[in-house]
Amino acid sequence: MTEDYDGLDPRDLDEAIAHCGPALESLRGANLFITGGTGFFGRWLLATIARAHRQFGIRATALTRNPQAFRAAYPALADHAAISLAHGDVRYFEFPKGRFSHVVHAATDTSVAADSDSATLIDTVVSGTARVLEFAAAARAERLLYVSSGAVYGPQPTDIDAIDEDYRGAPDPCDPRSAYGQAKRVAEQMCVCAMAKGALQPVIARAFAFVGPGLPLDAHFAIGNFIGDAVAGRDVVVAGDGSPLRSYLYAGDLAAWLLTLLAKGRAGAAYNVGSDEPIAIGDLARKAAHHAADGRRAIIKGEANANAARSRYIPSIARARALGLDVWTSLDSAILKTVDHARARSHSPAPSPA
């Protein structure tokens, strides 16, 4: 009988497992604690671990503020033998008993509501990281993967095609919109300071942009909104001129990357996580409309200005490639998989948010 992963395709999970096989081998029998385990990143991690459990014996406990909602929305994952749920807020959760060999700290509220309350966002990131580091020490964890963000670099200079981990730029501290990137920088520093005074081996994953089943289609993710509009039968509308350049890594590839960095990344080092294949936002909208295959079109409202600087948000992933990581899933395939999943979910009852 085919196992159920709450709408995630087992074939995608098998591909992720194949791409990170050596990492999973080194994690054999590991007991992971994952914050943010009920979000987009976390669900893919939990599903990959659940799929790999029989072969590698890896288990994971996911911290969630609402276990009941997660169980109602994703019962197959919540009830899987390899997965446990722990109730609590990342800033002051009660430590689960037992030893955890590895920690993945991926909890961050990236919603529009969180972005509008900068002080609370900063406190959640910084206080949450302090609490997770306390837990990692108490649990005698060997390794910790901190999921940070490309936002730590600040705006990407227009003369840099792809930003690498040695770039020393930063967000503007006088801009309240930079709160997320500033908080992530502090959290990264906290992780390496913990390494300097103890046995913990932290690895930092600076996440860029992603696409795949489970990505919110009605939030502030451009590709999610484009796919959501196309699947709903609406034209895909770009408010600007469509010129900004972005790149997108598929969620199945992301899961393999994160598990590999947890197991194989160099302690104290940061790794960009994302695709280095740029696409203009206007072209992205056209792809979403095309792959929905229902005759909808992309509408670019803004007028291009040939003299204006072109916004870029593209990582260099040479450091990740040195670990054997790559962009395995094409953007076209990633969009098609996300469209198919969205259509399937639109014909079933919508899960409650966790």
Side-chain angles (χ1 to χ4, degrees), residues 27 30-34 95-96 98-105 131-145 194-195 198-203 262 267:
L27 291 170
N31 192 20
L32 278 60
F33 182 77
I34 302 175
F95 295 171
R99 180 169 185 267
F100 291 82
S101 57
H102 296 73
V103 175
V104 178
H105 180 25
R131 186 63 174 166
V132 170
L133 290 172
E134 290 175 10
F135 168 74
R140 294 179 291 122
E142 303 158 12
R143 305 264 296 177
L144 178 143
L145 179 68
M195 175 181 171
L200 183 65
Q201 297 181 32
V203 180
L262 175 64

Side-chain angles (χ1 to χ4, degrees), residues 93-184:
F93 65 93
E94 183 176 341
F95 295 171
K97 291 183 169 61
R99 180 169 185 267
F100 291 82
S101 57
H102 296 73
V103 175
V104 178
H105 180 25
T108 302
D109 189 348
T110 57
S111 67
V112 173
D115 195 49
S116 67
D117 186 355
S118 299
T120 300
L121 175 61
I122 291 170
D123 178 63
T124 300
V125 172
V126 175
S127 298
T129 300
R131 186 63 174 166
V132 170
L133 290 172
E134 290 175 10
F135 168 74
R140 294 179 291 122
E142 303 158 12
R143 305 264 296 177
L144 178 143
L145 179 68
Y146 178 58
V147 180
S148 184
S149 168
V152 301
Y153 297 117
Q156 182 171 333
T158 56
D159 61 344
I160 296 179
D161 289 340
I163 200 162
D164 67 31
E165 294 89 349
D166 293 326
Y167 175 65
R168 293 294 176 258
D172 179 1
C174 293
D175 183 352
R177 294 170 298 177
S178 73
Y180 179 70
Q182 294 285 7
K184 286 291 192 178

Side-chain angles (χ1 to χ4, degrees), residues 197-212:
K197 70 176 186 179
L200 183 65
Q201 297 181 32
V203 180
I204 295 164
R206 291 177 178 158
F208 278 71
F210 306 91
V211 61

Side-chain angles (χ1 to χ4, degrees), residues 234-237 285-286 289 294-299:
R234 299 184 292 267
D235 287 334
V236 178
V237 178
R286 294 181 187 97
D294 62 358
R296 290 296 160 180
R297 59 194 178 123
I299 300 173

Side-chain angles (χ1 to χ4, degrees), residues 211-213 227 248-251 329-339:
V211 61
I227 292 171
Y248 295 89
L249 186 69
Y250 184 57
T329 305
S330 72
L331 181 57
D332 287 289
S333 178
I335 292 174
L336 279 168
K337 289 171 184 284
T338 310
V339 165

Side-chain angles (χ1 to χ4, degrees), residues 238-243 300-306 308:
V238 179
D241 67 0
S243 68
I300 314 299
K301 287 192 168 182
E303 293 187 8
N305 181 352

Side-chain angles (χ1 to χ4, degrees), residues 6 9 36 39-41 44 49 89 180 245 270 283 309 329 341 347:
D6 295 310
D9 192 332
F40 176 58
F41 284 23
W44 274 89
I49 289 167
D89 186 293
Y180 179 70
L245 294 171
D283 293 334
T329 305
H341 178 268
H347 295 300

